[in-house]
C-alpha cells in the first residue's frame, strides 16, 4: 500500500536553491527570517513523501527533493487511471527519431515544469531508447546527486561554520561549503548506484535516474568520482586536512557502511545519525581547524535530532521496508523505535543546555529553545505512548521545523564577544605598525 | 524497439518485479569483451527479475492470507456488508511485516551479496569496454589526421 501524507501539493513556486549564509555577524533579522521561511517551505513540501529511506548522504535525513515529491503525488493519481499498455504494441508505431524527440520533450518537461507528472507517466508506459541526451544531463545529474538534499547538507555545514568562535572568513566558508557539497554529491550518487533494484521497488525512489535507465552505472560512478575527488581535495588543501579527512570518512560511512547495513541490521539508523551529524562538525573544523567541544556538541545535536525525525517517518513506511527487505527499527523492534525517538528528544534539551556551558552561546539559548524542545519531546512522548500514524506524522512534521529553528536561535544567541575582542587587538596592532612605518 | 535501432531500449516497470526490462542491442561486430558485458547484464536482469517477482508475489499472497486469518479470528468476513474489502489497520499489519522481514532475511542477504558482485562486475566491464572504444577512436583519429 502506498502511504501518502495528507499534506496536499502546496503550490510552492520553485525556489531557487540559494541559501543565504547564516554568517552575517550583525544578525540581520530579515535575512535569517527569509532563510528560515525558505527552509520551512522546502521542508513543508518535502513532507509529502513516503520515504525516508533516510537518504541522508551527509546529514539531514530530510529525504528527497520536493520536486520528486510533488511528481510522486500527482503521479500516483495519474497511475490509478492509466492502465499500463503492453510494451510490444507501443513501439512499433514509433520511429526512433519520433520517440527520441518525444523523450527529449518529455524529459525537458520533466526537468523544468511544475507538472512533470504527465511526462513521467508517459515515460513509464513506453519503451525508451537508452541513449544519453546531453541536454538532459544536468537534470539527471542533479537528481543523481540529490541536489536539494545536498543543499541542506551544505547549509548544516555552514551552520557549523557560523557557530565557530572565529572572525568570519568568506573564502574559507565558500571553500568548505563547496567541498562539502561535492562530497555529498559523490556519496549520494554511489548510494543510488548500489541501490538500483531496491529503489525500483519502493514508491518514493522508483523515479531515480539509474532506475529509469537515463544514465549508465558507469557514468554514475565516474560522476561520483569526479565530484568526490575534487571535493575532498578542496577540503584537504583549501581548508584544512582535518575537514578533508572528515569528509572522506563521511563518504565512506554513508556508502560503505550505512547503505549495505540498511539491509543487514537495524544498526544502520545509528550509523546514519552519525552521517548526519558530521557536516556541522566539518563546518566547525573548517573554521577553527580543530575538533573542539563545540563541534562535538553541534554534531551531538544533529545526531539526536535524526532519531525523532527518522523513526517517526519510518513508522509509516513499514510495508515498503518489509517487502523490500530493509531492516528498520520500525518494522523489527517497534517498541525500541519509539523509545529511542523519545530518548533523543529529551537529549536535545540536555544538549541545548550544554551549549552555554561550553561557551558557544549565551544562557538565553537554552531558555529560548526550551519551548520548542519541550514541544518536540511532548510529541515524542505521544508517539511513544500512542504508536499510531497520526502521532508519528505529528512528530515528523515537528522535526522539520524544529531543527532550522533551533539552529537559528543558536546562531542568534551566539557568543560573539570573542570576535570583537580579537578585532580590537588586530586594529590596535596594525595601527601601531602603520605608525612605525611612517616615521623614518 | 525498432529493428534498425543501434542502442539498448528500456521499458516500463514490470508488473511483478517493478524492474524495468532492457532489450540489449547486439551489434554485428561485437567484440568478445562487449559480448561478455551484454551477457552479464542479461544474466543480472534475469536474476533480478526472478527474485523480485517471487518476492513481491509471495508478499502479496502472504499478506492476503494473514488478513484472512486475522479477520477470521475476529469473526469477520473478507468483505463487509457494502462489499468493500475489509482491511486491518497498520498496527495489526505490523506483526505481519515483522514476520515477513525476518522470514526472508537470509534470502535477502544472499541476494544482496549476489547483486553487489554483479553490479561491480558489470560496471567494471563497462569501464573496460569504454576504454577500449576510446582507444580505438583515438587511433582512428590519429590515422585520419595522418592522412
Amino acid at each position: 500500500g502506498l502511504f501518502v501524507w495528507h499534506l496536499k501539493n502546496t503550490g510552492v513556486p520553485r525556489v531557487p536553491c540559494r541559501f543565504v549564509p547564516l554568517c552575517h555577524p550583525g544578525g540581520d533579522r530579515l535575512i535569517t527570517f527569509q532563510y528560515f521561511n525558505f527552509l520551512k517551505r522546502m521542508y513543508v513540501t518535502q513532507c509529502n513523501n513516503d520515504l525516508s529511506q533516510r537518504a541522508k548522504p551527509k546529514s539531514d535525513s530530510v529525504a528527497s527533493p520536493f520536486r520528486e515529491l510533488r511528481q510522486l503525488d500527482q503521479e500516483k493519481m495519474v497511475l490509478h487511471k492509466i492502465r499500463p499498455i503492453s510494451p510490444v504494441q507501443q513501439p512499433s508505431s514509433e520511429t526512433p527519431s519520433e520517440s527520441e524527440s518525444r523523450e527529449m520533450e518529455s524529459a525537458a518537461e520533466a526537468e523544468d515544469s511544475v507538472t512533470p507528472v504527465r511526462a513521467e507517466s508517459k515515460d513509464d508506459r513506453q519503451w525508451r531508447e537508452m541513449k544519453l541526451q546531453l541536454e538532459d544531463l544536468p537534470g539527471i545529474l542533479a537528481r543523481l546527486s540529490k541536489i536539494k538534499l545536498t543543499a541542506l547538507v551544505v547549509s548544516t555545514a555552514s551552520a557549523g561554520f557560523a557557530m565557530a568562535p572565529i572572525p568570519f572568513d568568506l573564502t574559507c566558508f565558500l571553500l568548505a561549503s563547496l567541498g562539502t557539497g561535492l562530497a555529498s554529491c559523490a556519496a549520494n550518487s554511489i548510494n543510488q548506484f548500489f541501490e538500483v533494484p531496491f529503489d525500483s521497488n519502493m514508491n518514493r525512489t522508483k523515479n531515480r535516474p539509474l532506475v529509469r535507465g537515463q544514465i549508465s552505472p558507469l557514468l554514475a560512478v565516474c560522476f561520483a568520482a569526479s565530484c568526490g575527488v575534487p571535493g575532498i581535495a578542496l577540503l584537504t588543501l583549501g581548508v584544512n586536512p582535518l575537514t578533508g579527512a572528515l569528509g572522506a570518512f563521511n563518504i565512506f560511512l554513508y556508502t560503505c557502511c550505512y547503505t549495505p547495513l540498511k539491509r543487514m541490521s537495524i544498526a544502520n539508523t545509528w550509523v546514519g545519525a552519525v552521517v548526519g551529524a558530521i557536516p556541522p562538525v566539518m563546518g566547525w573544523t573548517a573554521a577553527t581547524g580543530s575538533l573542539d567541544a563545540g563541534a562535538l556538541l553541534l554534531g551531538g545535536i544533529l545526531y539526536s535530532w535524526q532519531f525523532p525525525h527518522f523513526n517517526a517517518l519510518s513508522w509509516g513506511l513499514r510495508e515498503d521496508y518489509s517487502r523490500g527487505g530493509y531492516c528498520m527499527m520500525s518494522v523489527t523492534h517497534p517498541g525500541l523505535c519509539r523509545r529511542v525517538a523519545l530518548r533523543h528528544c529529551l537529549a536535545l534539551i540536555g544538549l541545548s543546555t550544554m551549549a552555554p556551558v561550553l561557551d558557544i552561546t549565551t544562557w538565553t539559548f537554552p531558555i529560548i529553545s526550551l519551548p520548542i524542545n519541550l514541544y518536540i519531546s511532548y510529541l515524542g512522548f505521544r508517539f511513544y505512548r500512542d504508536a499510531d500514524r497520526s502521532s508519528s506524522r505529528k512528530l515528523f512534521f515537528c522535526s522539520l521545523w524544529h531543527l532550522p529553528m533551533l539552529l537559528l536561535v543558536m546562531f542568534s544567541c551566539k557568543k560573539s564577544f570573542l570576535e570583537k575582542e580579537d578585532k580590537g587587538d588586530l586594529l590596535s596592532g596594525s595601527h601601531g605598525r602603520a605608525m612605525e612605518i611612517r616615521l623614518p | 524497439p525498432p529493428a534498425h535501432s543501434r542502442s539498448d531500449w528500456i521499458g516500463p516497470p514490470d508488473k511483478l518485479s517493478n524492474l524495468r526490462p532492457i532489450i540489449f542491442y547486439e551489434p554485428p561486430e561485437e567484440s568478445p569483451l562487449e559480448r561478455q558485458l551484454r551477457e552479464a547484464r542479461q544474466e543480472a536482469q534475469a536474476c533480478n527479475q526472478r527474485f523480485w517477482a517471487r518476492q513481491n508475489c509471495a508478499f502479496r499472497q502472504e499478506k492476503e492470507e494473514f488478513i484472512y486469518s486475522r479477520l477470521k479470528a475476529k469473526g469477520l468476513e473478507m468483505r463487509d456488508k457494502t462489499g468493500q474489502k475489509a482491511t486491518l489497520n497498520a498496527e495489526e499489519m505490523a506483526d505481519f511485516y515483522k514476520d515477513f522481514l525476518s522470514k526472508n532475511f537470509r534470502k535477502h542477504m544472499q541476494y544482496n551479496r549476489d547483486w553487489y558482485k554483479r553490479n561491480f562486475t558489470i560496471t567494471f566491464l563497462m569501464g573496460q569496454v569504454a576504454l577500449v572504444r576510446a582507444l580505438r577512436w583515438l587511433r582512428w583519429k590519429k590515422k585520419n589526421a595522418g592522412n
Side-chain angles (χ1 to χ4, degrees):
Chain A
L2 295 173
F3 184 78
V4 181
W5 297 109
H6 276 320
L7 193 62
K8 295 289 193 297
N9 288 329
T10 56
V12 175
R14 279 195 55 211
V15 182
C17 217
R18 60 178 159 92
F19 67 91
V20 178
L22 279 177
C23 354
H24 285 272
D28 192 340
R29 301 298 303 172
L30 185 60
I31 290 180
T32 50
F33 181 70
Q34 274 178 3
Y35 175 49
F36 169 63
N37 251 359
F38 158 67
L39 263 188
K40 187 171 181 184
R41 269 177 288 157
M42 273 190 71
Y43 277 122
V44 162
T45 53
Q46 281 187 11
C47 293
N48 230 350
N49 348 17
D50 43 17
L51 68 154
S52 170
Q53 209 178 349
R54 257 280 255 37
K56 12 186 198 147
K58 296 226 337 157
S59 103
D60 289 330
S61 52
V62 183
S64 64
F66 63 99
R67 208 207 295 136
E68 254 178 44
L69 250 95
R70 282 178 292 143
Q71 288 173 4
L72 199 55
D73 218 42
Q74 290 168 302
E75 191 186 88
K76 276 187 280 226
M77 295 185 322
V78 175
L79 280 177
H80 282 315
K81 299 180 201 133
I82 297 175
R83 295 260 130 251
I85 299 174
S86 101
V88 184
Q89 301 159 356
Q90 275 282 32
S92 55
S93 54
E94 315 168 348
T95 64
S97 57
E98 251 178 48
S99 65
E100 252 178 75
S101 61
R102 195 176 336 148
E103 179 203 307
M104 269 165 50
E105 252 175 40
S106 60
E109 269 176 52
E111 249 63 278
D112 299 334
S113 78
V114 182
T115 52
V117 181
R118 266 168 269 128
E120 281 192 10
S121 58
K122 241 189 337 183
D123 277 350
D124 258 9
R125 287 182 294 140
Q126 294 168 349
W127 282 80
R128 276 179 357 154
E129 194 171 3
M130 279 179 93
K131 220 197 301 199
L132 182 64
Q133 310 287 349
L134 279 171
E135 309 84 33
D136 304 336
L137 196 60
I140 291 175
L141 291 180
R143 266 179 290 162
L144 186 68
S145 60
K146 298 187 213 166
I147 195 89
K148 300 230 162 76
L149 182 53
T150 299
L152 289 170
V153 168
V154 171
S155 58
T156 329
S158 63
F161 193 97
M163 288 307 301
I166 45 107
F168 180 65
D169 177 356
L170 184 65
T171 336
C172 188
F173 172 74
L174 289 174
L175 287 176
S177 305
L178 185 62
T180 310
L182 286 173
S184 168
C185 287
N188 285 333
S189 308
I190 297 287
N191 168 262
Q192 291 200 18
F193 165 72
F194 282 158
E195 302 257 284
V196 178
F198 313 116
D199 282 347
S200 331
N201 272 282
M202 293 193 58
N203 283 306
R204 168 182 72 105
T205 53
K206 66 186 179 191
N207 288 314
R208 287 186 170 169
L210 280 170
V211 174
R212 291 173 61 190
Q214 290 173 313
I215 195 176
S216 79
L218 180 67
L219 206 53
V221 175
C222 290
F223 173 69
S226 62
C227 282
V229 172
I232 299 297
L234 193 62
L235 288 175
T236 318
L237 303 171
V239 180
N240 60 54
L242 179 59
T243 315
L246 281 172
F249 176 64
N250 213 15
I251 294 183
F252 166 75
L253 206 59
Y254 182 66
T255 56
C256 303
C257 297
Y258 172 67
T259 304
L261 215 53
K262 274 199 295 198
R263 311 185 57 79
M264 295 203 279
S265 121
I266 60 172
N268 70 74
T269 313
W270 282 267
V271 174
V274 175
V275 171
I278 290 187
V281 177
M282 281 170 68
W284 184 288
T285 59
T288 62
S290 65
L291 216 52
D292 310 320
L296 296 175
L297 181 76
L298 262 174
I301 287 182
L302 250 95
Y303 176 81
S304 281
W305 177 83
Q306 308 289 347
F307 291 99
H309 176 79
F310 179 66
N311 286 358
L313 190 51
S314 71
W315 197 256
L317 298 173
R318 286 178 283 180
E319 172 162 3
D320 269 357
Y321 284 149
S322 164
R323 187 167 55 88
Y326 283 108
C327 297
M328 299 294 177
M329 268 195 280
S330 57
V331 181
T332 57
H333 298 79
L336 179 68
C337 179
R338 301 186 326 266
R339 268 200 310 274
V340 165
L342 179 61
R343 223 184 280 163
H344 283 271
C345 287
L346 297 171
L348 281 171
I349 303 180
L351 286 167
S352 304
T353 327
M354 288 287 290
V357 172
L358 295 171
D359 250 0
I360 305 171
T361 64
T362 58
W363 277 97
T364 48
F365 173 60
I367 299 172
I368 300 183
S369 65
L370 195 62
I372 52 176
N373 285 338
L374 279 177
Y375 183 60
I376 200 175
S377 303
Y378 165 68
L379 289 179
F381 175 69
R382 288 288 299 274
F383 176 52
Y384 173 71
R385 197 192 53 188
D386 302 339
D388 63 358
R389 200 177 276 192
S390 82
S391 54
S392 69
R393 279 175 61 193
K394 283 210 193 97
L395 181 60
F396 174 69
F397 288 166
C398 175
S399 74
L400 294 180
W401 59 255
H402 172 269
L403 181 68
M405 202 165 228
L406 191 70
L407 291 176
L408 265 168
V409 172
M410 200 181 204
F411 180 67
S412 56
C413 296
K414 177 182 170 186
K415 255 199 186 142
S416 61
F417 70 93
L418 211 61
E419 275 174 65
K420 295 207 185 99
E421 226 173 38
D422 283 335
K423 276 205 187 110
D425 284 349
L426 237 61
L427 278 173
S428 58
S430 60
H431 227 61
R433 263 180 265 128
M435 292 290 285
E436 283 173 34
I437 294 170
R438 264 190 233 128
L439 300 172
Chain B
H4 57 270
S5 161
R6 283 187 61 97
S7 46
D8 303 332
W9 283 70
I10 190 167
D14 180 82
K15 260 188 286 238
L16 287 176
S17 69
N18 293 318
L19 302 174
R20 287 172 181 262
I22 300 179
I23 295 186
F24 298 96
Y25 169 63
E26 282 182 49
E29 69 286 347
E30 200 179 37
S31 71
L33 193 65
E34 288 175 353
R35 201 189 67 236
Q36 200 183 350
L37 171 64
R38 184 177 48 84
E39 283 173 358
R41 290 175 78 189
Q42 278 167 331
E43 213 187 311
Q45 183 172 266
C47 185
N48 281 346
Q49 171 73 17
R50 265 198 313 268
F51 179 79
W52 285 107
R54 197 154 18 122
Q55 277 297 108
N56 292 342
C57 268
F59 184 80
R60 247 187 292 247
Q61 202 177 342
E62 288 182 28
K63 185 176 174 187
E64 285 296 320
E65 286 171 7
F66 177 79
I67 293 179
Y68 181 67
S69 66
R70 275 295 169 95
L71 285 174
K72 207 139 168 236
K74 288 211 284 198
L76 300 168
E77 288 300 318
M78 275 302 291
R79 285 180 191 276
D80 65 19
K81 286 172 282 222
T82 63
Q84 289 273 25
K85 231 168 153 207
T87 49
L88 301 172
N89 69 29
E91 301 321 312
E92 291 167 329
M93 293 306 297
D95 289 330
F96 167 67
Y97 297 144
K98 179 174 179 178
D99 202 38
F100 189 81
L101 190 64
S102 44
K103 259 203 301 206
N104 289 282
F105 183 72
R106 197 127 25 109
K107 242 189 269 178
H108 276 290
M109 283 291 97
Q110 191 154 16
Y111 172 73
N112 287 350
R113 244 172 306 192
D114 199 43
W115 157 249
Y116 270 68
K117 230 189 314 186
R118 282 187 210 268
N119 200 18
F120 278 124
T121 322
I122 289 175
T123 310
F124 184 66
L125 281 171
M126 277 185 172
Q128 278 181 307
V129 167
L131 202 64
V132 163
R133 283 197 192 142
L135 287 173
R136 216 187 301 155
W137 179 80
L138 276 170
R139 244 178 282 140
W140 174 85
K141 267 214 101 178
K142 229 195 307 190
K143 218 190 335 178
N144 272 12
N147 292 350

